[in-house]
Amino acid sequence: RALNVGSFHAPAERVLSTQVARKFVELFFGRMDARTASYEATAELISRFFPAGYELLRPGVTSETRAPREDGKVRIWSLPRGRLRHTFTGYGSGEVAAFSPDGGTLAVAFARGADGMIGLLDPVTGRKLRTITVSGGSVRGIAFSPDGRTVAAASVTTVRVWDVATGRKRRGFTGHPYPQAVAFGPDGRTVAAVGLDGLVRMWDVATGRTRTV
């Protein structure tokens, strides 16, 4: 028989169209053999209404021409010789990573089910330090504070800040739709994020209050 493949394209939420189409899609969703999404944001959005696994197939890329699947490994090389130092496994198709300012910690984002995850690794010894769960979707951006003691991540609807040593969440900032990148201020007291709407929002890490740009 012919395969039924559902392809989802809209990268932004349109509440009316989603609600109108929802009942129609529900009639066929369970009978789909595969589901594809054009963008990570599309998969995250559609998963809120129709939880399932979505294959990312970007515009202009076909199943015949796309790159092979990721092997779930994180590799660290020494420069300038390019010698492979460490290989970490079990990180899916993670595409976001960041080193702490002193180079002593590497943060790698990956997905596990419906949640995002952040793996904290020691690039010198090759040890896995800890894993942080980021509920509610994949991680879009990661940044360390200037002193390396704090790490921030932008997910679908929330920017969160954790203590690197303990993995304890310090703050969670909402109200910024689809934050895509995150960064700390020079003194580490402010965290900023930019969303799909192009707007930048800033928060005080200590108080949790919004700061004006």
Side-chain angles (χ1 to χ4, degrees):
R1 68 178 178 86
L3 296 178
N4 296 316
V5 179
S7 182
F8 300 87
H9 302 279
E13 183 172 4
R14 295 174 176 83
V15 176
L16 180 60
S17 60
T18 302
Q19 294 298 337
V20 171
R22 186 170 185 175
K23 291 186 178 180
F24 176 78
V25 175
E26 285 176 342
L27 295 175
F28 302 96
F29 193 80
R31 292 153 52 186
M32 292 180 184
D33 298 290
R35 303 159 188 85
T36 69
S38 298
Y39 307 93
E40 292 93 339
T42 303
E44 293 165 0
L45 170 62
I46 297 299
S47 293
R48 290 163 49 190
F49 299 94
F50 308 103
Y54 292 86
E55 189 76 13
L56 187 64
L57 196 61
R58 299 182 184 278
V61 178
T62 68
S63 58
E64 288 77 20
T65 61
R66 71 182 173 190
R69 288 176 179 267
E70 296 86 350
D71 61 6
K73 296 179 180 179
V74 176
R75 297 174 176 86
I76 298 177
W77 292 268
S78 295
L79 297 177
R81 295 185 178 181
R83 180 177 62 87
L84 180 64
R85 296 184 60 180
H86 300 293
T87 300
F88 301 90
T89 60
Y91 290 90
S93 58
E95 297 180 349
V96 182
F99 278 101
S100 61
D102 65 356
T105 306
L106 173 64
V108 179
F110 61 102
R112 181 174 293 168
D115 293 329
M117 312 292 290
I118 298 175
L120 298 180
L121 314 174
D122 187 324
V124 178
T125 65
R127 291 189 304 119
K128 294 183 178 181
L129 302 177
R130 70 180 79 267
T131 301
I132 298 172
T133 300
V134 185
S135 59
S138 65
V139 175
R140 317 311 304 274
I142 303 176
F144 281 91
S145 60
D147 62 8
R149 297 180 180 179
T150 308
V151 63
S155 58
V156 181
T157 60
T158 309
V159 174
R160 299 177 177 89
V161 178
W162 294 270
D163 183 273
V164 172
T166 64
R168 181 179 61 87
K169 188 178 79 171
R170 295 183 58 187
R171 292 288 179 186
F173 307 106
T174 58
H176 195 5
Y178 301 107
Q180 300 295 295
V182 63
F184 280 91
D187 60 3
R189 298 178 181 177
T190 302
V191 64
V194 60
L196 281 177
D197 56 6
L199 296 179
V200 176
R201 289 175 173 81
M202 300 193 307
W203 299 273
D204 186 302
V205 176
T207 66
R209 295 177 181 174
T210 302
R211 287 188 169 181
T212 58
V213 179

